[in-house]
Amino acid sequence: MAAMRARDVVLLWGPVLACMAAIYYVSSLNTWTTIDGPPLYRAFRKSGHIFEYAALALLIGRALERTWAGRGEALTRVLLSRVWWVGVALATLYALTDEFHQSFVPKRGSHLADVVIDALSATAALGIWYIVRVRQRRRGITSQERN
């Protein structure tokens, strides 16, 4: 079983932490909710959840896959499935902590609907990722060949 170098860990998990930090920062802003505009504006605001958590989930999925593959685990459908459900679970857990954090920000609130949007976004993004990776695997394309 091969050990990952510290540089590889930073390159894989650094973007995940950076995305989490960006979400935390945006959640700290109380200006997003001070204007209650027309439905299109509110839809635009909610779409931020979709993009944030789809990106976070994909970064987590990438980091998990390459971390486990770097430890010598074979790139199988079972591994890809595990990446999907662990990635969704981690993104959803972060969404819960983000909503908790927002409950302490003036003019912000904590909403279960936002966690549902975040979880569904992560589920969809990693679901599409899973389908693509399984198809690539069937064609014999490994992550090492893509890089």
Side-chain angles (χ1 to χ4, degrees), residues 23 26 28 42 50 58 62 68 82 106 108-109 116 139:
I23 291 170
V26 171
S28 299
R42 287 182 293 193
I50 296 167
L58 291 171
R62 174 183 165 269
W68 289 332
R82 183 167 25 123
R108 297 289 308 248
V116 171
R139 285 188 244 136

Side-chain angles (χ1 to χ4, degrees), residues 4-118:
M4 292 186 68
R5 296 179 307 201
R7 178 182 175 272
D8 295 332
V9 172
V10 169
L11 289 175
L12 289 176
W13 291 98
V16 173
L17 295 176
C19 186
M20 289 176 163
I23 291 170
Y24 183 88
Y25 172 74
V26 171
S27 293
S28 299
L29 302 175
N30 63 10
T31 57
W32 286 91
T33 58
T34 57
I35 302 170
D36 192 29
L40 185 59
Y41 173 76
R42 287 182 293 193
F44 176 73
R45 274 193 358 225
K46 289 296 178 189
S47 69
H49 284 270
I50 296 167
F51 294 115
E52 287 173 340
Y53 282 88
L56 177 60
L58 291 171
L59 289 170
I60 291 171
R62 174 183 165 269
L64 287 170
E65 176 191 0
R66 293 185 183 179
T67 296
W68 289 332
R71 291 182 179 167
E73 292 191 43
L75 186 61
T76 64
R77 200 170 184 159
V78 171
L79 177 85
L80 296 175
S81 181
R82 183 167 25 123
V83 167
W84 176 82
W85 70 263
V86 171
V88 169
L90 290 174
T92 302
L93 180 63
Y94 191 72
L96 284 165
T97 65
D98 181 48
E99 287 303 311
F100 179 71
H101 163 244
Q102 284 183 36
S103 71
F104 297 101
V105 177
K107 300 180 186 175
R108 297 289 308 248
S110 180
H111 305 284
L112 185 58
D114 288 345
V115 175
V116 171
I117 292 169
D118 300 340

